Every structure is written in C-alpha cells, then in structure tokens.
Amino acid sequence: TAAAHASQHAIRVWAAPDGFSWRAYAPNFEELHENITYNEREDEFDTTVDSKAPSHPQAEIEALLGAHGCTLDDVLRVEPTVFDAASGEWVPNADGPEE
C-alpha cells in the first residue's frame, strides 16, 4: 500500500489486490507474513582470497617482468604517440606531449 499527497488537498492511495503472488515472477520466492531478522554468517559474502600474500610484491613483479625481458620502467614509461593515418600506425609524437 502506498499513499501520496496530490494537489487540491487530495490523498491518493494505491494498494495491491489481495491474492497477488510474486511466485509467478520468481518460483523460489518465499512469501513472509511478518518481518524476520536474518543473521548472516561471518564469511557468507566473503570472496575467496589466496592466503599466501606475497611478502615482497614489487620483487615478484620485477622477477615476472624480467622473465619476459622487461623492466618496471618499460611498463610504467609512457611515450607520446600519434596515429599516422597515411601509414595506419601509431608513431612517436615529434612535437612532444599534448597539453
């Protein structure tokens, strides 16, 4: 049931007809006749995380990058490029970074 104040001092009331069932929309829906309190378990909505957190994450990242012939500077360095429509490729920006 809902009520709303409208113009000219009228109150409009809407109510769902008795016998309306949400089961038509969700077959597993359980109708309650009164409110209940739900107590969730401590870990019910936790995501599973590997319990082995790296002790030196930066060293592990550098080792992984080194295995592929890269360094952390290769990954973090941003070189300004522009798209050359004639060649269809990205080329170094000779003018420097755009502002």
Side-chain angles (χ1 to χ4, degrees):
T1 303
H5 174 69
S7 61
Q8 301 171 350
H9 307 289
I11 296 177
R12 303 193 188 268
V13 178
W14 294 270
D18 292 341
F20 181 79
S21 175
W22 286 98
R23 290 178 192 250
Y25 300 105
N28 296 331
F29 185 80
E30 180 182 343
E31 295 182 21
L32 301 175
H33 298 288
E34 60 184 52
N35 290 337
I36 62 170
T37 301
Y38 179 76
N39 295 318
E40 70 179 70
R41 295 186 324 270
E42 181 65 32
D43 62 346
E44 184 171 3
F45 297 105
D46 294 348
T47 57
T48 304
V49 179
D50 186 9
S51 62
K52 296 172 69 177
S55 57
H56 301 292
Q58 185 169 351
E60 289 187 24
I61 291 172
E62 289 173 351
L64 180 63
L65 291 172
H68 294 283
C70 299
T71 66
L72 199 54
D73 290 333
D74 293 333
V75 176
L76 299 178
R77 183 178 54 238
V78 178
E79 296 178 359
T81 57
V82 293
F83 186 74
D84 181 19
S87 68
E89 296 180 356
W90 290 93
V91 297
N93 186 359
D95 299 332
E98 294 182 21
E99 306 227 1

